[in-house]
Amino acid sequence: MSALFRRFFDRLPVRTIPSDGQLHLLSDAELAAVRRTHRVAVASAAAMSVVGFLLYFMPVYSAPELFPSVTVSLFGSDVAVPWAETLWGLLLMVIEIYALVLLNLWGVHEIAAATGLLGPHNKAEVAGTLIDIGLENKHRGLLKYGIDPFLGVNPTLLFLVNLLLRLKGWLGSKILRYAVQRLLGRFAVREVLDFAGMPIYMAINAWSTHSVLHEAKVIIMGQKLIEHLCVRLPADLAQSPEDRALLYDTFRFIAVSKRDFHQNHFALTKALIERYAIAVEPNQGSLEDYLARLAAAPERLRRAAVLLIVIGFLLDGQISWRERRRIRELAERGVFRFTAGEVRAMCRDFVRGAGIEALLTRQLAPT
């Protein structure tokens, strides 16, 4: 099926939009094009849910003879199994899923073109990365460098959380259906109950597409920000093994604070590990002494590490409650002069394409 997605992506026309060439900064024209694409894609995703419900239920209501069922005996009772209706629903579900994927690919394509990342000259070169974003493929490259974002997390708890996230749409629909049934009682006709879950699925479709396009913009700008950062960081920043070990644990600290794999985190880790020839040591221990080591580090290295932490926190486009707690811990140690509100403001600037030049200048200024 990946071949189908690739053919669809390759056939999308590349619209030329004036670009300033700085992919981590968006001009007014670029920002307007990105927002327009975002609105159209999110609205289309929500509309697909409405169309899907109508295509499923209207034939069932208007031509029930086309959807026969079979009666089976189960635990001594006769149960009607609507096999035809079930197959019809499965077919429509598969079609809707693929339509949503194609919509996401279109949105990612348009955003990449609007920001100047994608053009007729390099479409084949960047297609693989952009398709992965559209397909929401998780990037687990951090494990290559011995960094596990879920260090110390109970595997059973992690499995249960992921399972609940996958079932949230189904659970939401069932809960809403039950609420409507209890509210209307005997007056709740089948049509009302059947369509009770539609707002849930509209919201899920819209949020899913929003998340994909938000991720596309974050990754596109984040990659160029990382390239710019590598140019700005001093070549002699980490000269001793202790300095390099502190930088390596900084990458681990960022990943564990995020509790997630992200392509930008991998790109940041890869770029700086290679730049400073940092030894990768899998199966590292805990990070309990990291903050104490950071506080005791030379000022230039400490300021650079703080810069990496801030950039690492905002590179996925959101600041979680866990990261806000980390910011408070860093401030209490006296090595962090930013509040959670300031970091969130930087994150908003990064996501909307305004850049973080003030942060770079402040942390990399000569001491």
Side-chain angles (χ1 to χ4, degrees):
M1 195 57 64
S2 58
L4 169 64
F5 297 142
R6 182 59 187 256
R7 285 197 298 270
F8 173 81
F9 190 89
D10 289 342
R11 293 183 179 181
L12 291 173
V14 179
R15 294 190 301 165
T16 303
I17 296 175
S19 173
D20 56 13
Q22 302 184 70
L23 300 187
H24 65 289
L25 302 174
L26 297 183
S27 65
D28 291 341
E30 292 169 333
L31 189 59
V34 169
R35 288 175 174 171
R36 182 170 57 251
T37 297
H38 197 114
R39 287 195 299 267
V40 170
V42 170
S44 299
M48 283 183 186
S49 181
V50 177
V51 173
F53 267 79
L54 292 175
L55 288 177
Y56 176 72
F57 286 113
M58 296 310 292
V60 172
Y61 296 153
S62 60
E65 66 278 3
L66 298 178
F67 301 93
S69 60
V70 61
T71 302
V72 298
S73 180
L74 186 65
F75 302 111
S77 301
D78 292 336
V79 178
V81 178
W83 62 270
E85 184 177 336
T86 301
L87 291 178
W88 175 240
L90 289 174
L91 174 62
L92 291 176
M93 180 184 68
V94 171
I95 293 174
E96 182 179 350
I97 289 173
Y98 279 110
L100 282 171
V101 172
L102 295 179
L103 175 65
N104 290 342
L105 289 175
W106 171 81
V108 171
H109 180 279
E110 293 300 294
I111 288 177
T115 55
L117 174 68
L118 180 148
H121 63 288
N122 69 339
K123 185 170 183 176
E125 178 183 343
V126 301
T129 298
L130 296 176
I131 290 173
D132 281 342
I133 297 173
L135 299 181
E136 298 182 271
N137 291 334
K138 276 291 184 182
H139 198 285
R140 299 181 178 270
L142 283 173
L143 295 176
K144 174 183 175 182
Y145 295 102
I147 298 176
D148 183 4
F150 298 102
L151 179 69
V153 176
N154 186 297
T156 302
L157 177 62
L158 182 62
F159 170 79
L160 292 176
V161 170
N162 287 331
L163 180 63
L164 181 61
L165 289 176
R166 292 180 181 275
L167 292 176
K168 62 183 177 181
W170 181 82
L171 290 174
S173 176
K174 293 300 182 184
I175 291 172
L176 184 58
R177 181 187 177 101
Y178 176 77
V180 172
Q181 190 173 25
R182 295 292 295 176
L183 179 64
L184 299 181
R186 69 181 62 185
F187 301 105
V189 296
R190 180 189 176 190
E191 288 80 357
V192 174
L193 294 178
D194 285 340
F195 282 91
M198 186 169 67
I200 294 290
Y201 284 99
M202 289 177 64
I204 290 174
N205 280 4
W207 178 254
S208 175
T209 295
H210 161 77
S211 299
V212 171
L213 299 188
H214 178 272
E215 184 80 347
K217 186 169 67 170
V218 165
I219 291 176
I220 288 169
M221 295 186 297
Q223 300 292 311
K224 288 301 177 181
L225 175 58
I226 292 167
E227 292 179 11
H228 183 65
L229 174 66
C230 289
V231 174
R232 298 282 294 273
L233 284 173
D236 59 347
L237 179 64
Q239 296 182 323
S240 68
E242 292 77 14
D243 292 347
R244 291 190 287 272
L246 182 67
L247 285 183
Y248 181 71
D249 282 346
T250 299
F251 305 140
R252 295 177 63 217
F253 180 81
I254 294 168
V256 171
S257 298
K258 279 293 183 185
R259 291 298 190 196
D260 193 17
F261 292 95
H262 195 274
Q263 187 168 333
N264 281 347
H265 293 159
F266 165 72
L268 176 66
T269 301
K270 177 178 183 295
L272 296 184
I273 282 180
E274 293 178 354
R275 176 175 172 80
Y276 295 111
I278 299 174
V280 175
E281 300 180 15
N283 303 319
Q284 288 282 313
S286 69
L287 290 167
E288 292 180 359
D289 66 337
Y290 171 74
L291 295 183
R293 290 162 51 211
L294 178 62
E299 183 178 358
R300 187 175 70 151
L301 179 61
R302 184 175 66 249
R303 291 172 64 182
V306 169
L307 172 64
L308 293 176
I309 291 171
V310 175
I311 290 178
F313 281 3
L314 59 83
L315 268 180
D316 68 347
Q318 56 186 341
I319 305 297
S320 67
W321 64 267
R322 187 180 298 103
E323 289 161 314
R324 292 195 293 271
R325 186 182 65 187
R326 294 289 198 187
I327 291 170
R328 288 194 295 271
E329 291 177 7
L330 288 165
E332 290 170 0
R333 295 275 184 163
V335 298
F336 206 84
R337 299 182 180 179
F338 302 103
T339 65
E342 289 173 330
V343 176
R344 293 176 71 179
M346 293 180 211
C347 186
R348 288 193 295 269
D349 287 342
F350 166 68
V351 171
R352 66 184 179 89
I356 55 170
E357 182 58 33
L359 172 66
L360 293 171
T361 302
R362 173 177 174 177
Q363 293 301 115
L364 297 178
T367 57

